[in-house]
Amino acid sequence: MSIEIISVIVLFVSFFGLLVYGVPVAYSIGISTTLTLILNIIFMPSITTVAQRMTTGIDNFALLAIPFFILAGELMNRGGIATRLIDFAKSLIGSLPGGLAFVNIISAMLFGAISGSAIAAASAIGSTLTDKMESEGYPREFSAAVNISASTTGLLIPPSNVLIIFALASGGTASVAALFVAGYIPGILVGLAIMIMVYIYAKRNGLPRADRVNFKKLFIDFKNAILSLTLLIIVVGGIVAGIFTATEAAAIAVVYAALLGFLNRGLKVSDFKPILLKSAKTTAIVMFLIATSMAMSWLFSFEGIPQLLTATILDNFSNPILIFLIINIVLLIVGTFMDITPAVLIFTPIFLPVAIALGMHPVQFGMIIVLNLCIGICTPPVGTLLFVGSGVAKVSVTKVIKPLLPLLGVMVLVLMLITYFPDLSLWLPRVFDLID
């Protein structure tokens, strides 16, 4: 057995073994990478190599957008934006059967898109709506399930930190601007699919509907929410138009969110210390994950794992439909036990060459891997969003699973549509001349 094969075995066995043992993902990645490099005498001392690759991996201007978007999300969470979006959504669609559930979905989509964070959306919308939904006859576990599934749309609808990370992991084959524009249709499709399931559930169970509001009330709520919604136009429009980069857009989002928070009287100067501390902690976690994942990605390239996997798949399977189905199944399984950031960084270099070899555009693959992992963060055993959403709703995870399953089912259906109908991901970027 060659040293290359032994290295691959050591890498994967040590990595998954550490995960099963309960070691945090970032440490598991770093330790397994170091152990694998120890086998290669050429690279001794291995720790130096790992440190170098971690440092160079995060030495990227585009990654500066991540701490800015994290900070902007925290400012929005504290600045009263969620309440204004909920009021607007309630006026818009609250009169439908199961109206508050629809309000939950629309609000999570809007807040998730503005903040770029599924966790922030689940926390802000769930903490505001869950008690109100229960008081009007909605099962608490159903409210949590709707909030959890709808919050994932914020990872597809720009601005999204995960799409920036995928752009980095793709090695420049997919631009941030193209990914941002491509995310709209998949994100909206996920939201619409969840709405359809909620409508069916509402009709079967006789869930209440709110009174229809008059045009004046709708206009007032829209006016209160318009400044929050304008942030999407400024950030994404500015990037697409070439006025500024994603990093510059993120910095503008911070300034805009702070000014809007003061304007809404939801922010005080004393709020900045806890906001900055929480943002710094979140940024540190994300950047450490990226650093260790980039070291492992480099090791993949050195060992020739992507090329080996591509050749193996193409030699043993000839049907692209079957190959993409296998890739989706693997990513769905991966998503159940690995957080979205390291999963994107680790598995993009592995599966992207296969997808490109089969004629898939990198932007379309970006939508596929992100939606796969969005489903994963809603499922146990790791399921970050599942635990956050359940915690906010104050209901056990086991109770949330049953109402969540049909919603995850329609998300998988949307995933299949995006996989086998490329225009769902590529039409908008082509309209804006962002891809060929």
Side-chain angles (χ1 to χ4, degrees):
M1 187 178 294
S2 66
I3 186 65
E4 288 81 9
I5 299 298
I6 295 174
S7 297
V8 172
I9 293 173
V10 169
L11 177 65
F12 284 102
V13 170
S14 60
F15 174 61
F16 289 111
L18 289 166
L19 284 181
V20 170
Y21 193 70
V23 177
V25 177
Y27 292 106
S28 299
I29 294 170
I31 293 169
S32 58
T33 302
T34 303
L35 288 174
T36 305
L37 285 178
I38 288 174
L39 295 176
N40 296 271
I41 300 176
I42 298 174
F43 288 97
M44 292 296 287
S46 61
I47 294 177
T48 303
T49 304
V50 173
Q52 289 171 344
R53 294 299 167 178
M54 288 175 63
T55 304
T56 56
I58 58 174
D59 185 16
N60 190 306
F61 179 74
L63 288 180
L64 281 175
I66 292 176
F68 282 126
F69 277 129
I70 289 172
L71 178 56
E74 290 295 331
L75 289 168
M76 292 171 198
N77 208 0
R78 291 284 189 101
I81 290 177
T83 303
R84 291 169 181 264
L85 293 176
I86 288 171
D87 290 341
F88 172 57
K90 188 174 181 181
S91 295
L92 192 64
I93 57 171
S95 60
L96 294 172
L100 277 182
F102 283 95
V103 171
N104 197 322
I105 296 167
I106 294 292
S107 301
M109 289 176 69
L110 292 175
F111 190 85
I114 292 170
S115 67
S117 169
I119 300 296
S123 301
I125 305 303
S127 60
T128 307
L129 272 180
T130 304
D131 289 338
K132 184 169 181 58
M133 291 177 71
E134 184 182 33
S135 68
E136 296 195 13
Y138 293 79
R140 202 169 183 87
E141 56 271 19
F142 171 74
S143 303
V146 171
N147 183 41
I148 290 164
S149 56
S151 296
T152 60
T153 57
L155 299 176
L156 287 165
I157 302 173
S160 167
N161 289 336
V162 177
L163 294 179
I164 295 172
I165 290 169
F166 174 79
L168 173 69
S170 71
T173 57
S175 70
V176 173
L179 289 165
F180 273 16
V181 173
Y184 278 108
I185 291 178
I188 292 171
L189 282 176
V190 170
L192 289 174
I194 294 170
M195 287 181 193
I196 291 171
M197 291 303 299
V198 165
Y199 182 80
I200 295 170
Y201 182 92
K203 293 292 284 185
R204 285 180 177 175
N205 294 275
L207 293 182
R209 64 174 77 190
D211 295 332
R212 189 182 297 274
V213 302
N214 57 37
F215 181 77
K216 181 179 179 181
K217 169 66 173 170
L218 176 61
F219 178 76
I220 291 172
D221 289 335
F222 173 72
K223 185 178 69 173
N224 290 335
I226 186 63
L227 289 177
S228 303
L229 298 173
T230 302
L231 180 60
L232 283 175
I233 300 172
I234 293 173
V235 171
V236 180
I239 294 171
V240 173
I243 299 172
F244 38 69
T245 65
T247 303
E248 292 163 345
I252 291 169
V254 170
V255 176
Y256 189 95
L259 292 175
L260 190 58
F262 283 119
L263 183 64
N264 293 341
R265 298 181 180 179
L267 273 182
K268 302 187 294 291
V269 174
S270 58
D271 291 329
F272 273 83
K273 182 177 179 180
I275 287 173
L276 290 171
L277 282 173
K278 187 173 181 181
S279 300
K281 289 178 181 178
T282 305
T283 299
I285 293 168
V286 172
M287 287 301 183
F288 187 55
L289 276 169
I290 293 173
T292 54
S293 298
M294 292 305 291
M296 180 177 276
S297 297
W298 169 83
L299 183 61
F300 284 162
S301 298
F302 172 75
E303 298 290 353
I305 294 174
Q307 295 85 347
L308 177 63
L309 182 66
T310 302
T312 302
I313 291 177
L314 295 180
D315 289 344
N316 291 278
F317 300 96
S318 57
N319 189 335
I321 295 176
L322 179 60
I323 295 173
F324 289 137
L325 181 62
I326 292 170
I327 290 174
N328 276 318
I329 291 171
V330 171
L331 290 173
L332 284 170
I333 294 171
V334 165
T336 64
F337 64 85
M338 187 179 293
D339 200 26
I340 193 165
T341 298
V344 167
L345 288 164
I346 290 172
F347 289 94
T348 296
I350 292 177
F351 288 123
L352 182 58
V354 178
I356 292 174
L358 293 170
M360 179 178 283
H361 197 283
V363 169
Q364 182 189 0
F365 182 75
M367 298 301 107
I368 291 171
I369 190 171
V370 170
L371 181 50
N372 263 297
L373 298 173
C374 282
I375 297 169
I377 61 174
C378 298
T379 56
V382 174
T384 328
L385 191 57
L386 172 64
F387 289 103
V388 169
S390 300
V392 169
K394 297 176 183 176
V395 61
S396 69
V397 171
T398 53
K399 290 183 179 180
V400 175
I401 294 296
K402 185 178 178 180
L404 184 61
L405 284 176
L407 304 179
L408 294 179
V410 293
M411 291 176 71
V412 172
L413 178 60
V414 173
L415 172 63
M416 294 298 104
L417 291 174
I418 293 170
T419 301
Y420 297 112
F421 294 92
D423 283 345
L424 292 175
S425 302
L426 303 180
W427 177 70
L428 272 181
R430 283 177 178 148
V431 167
F432 288 96
D433 292 324
L434 296 172
I435 59 174
D436 297 328

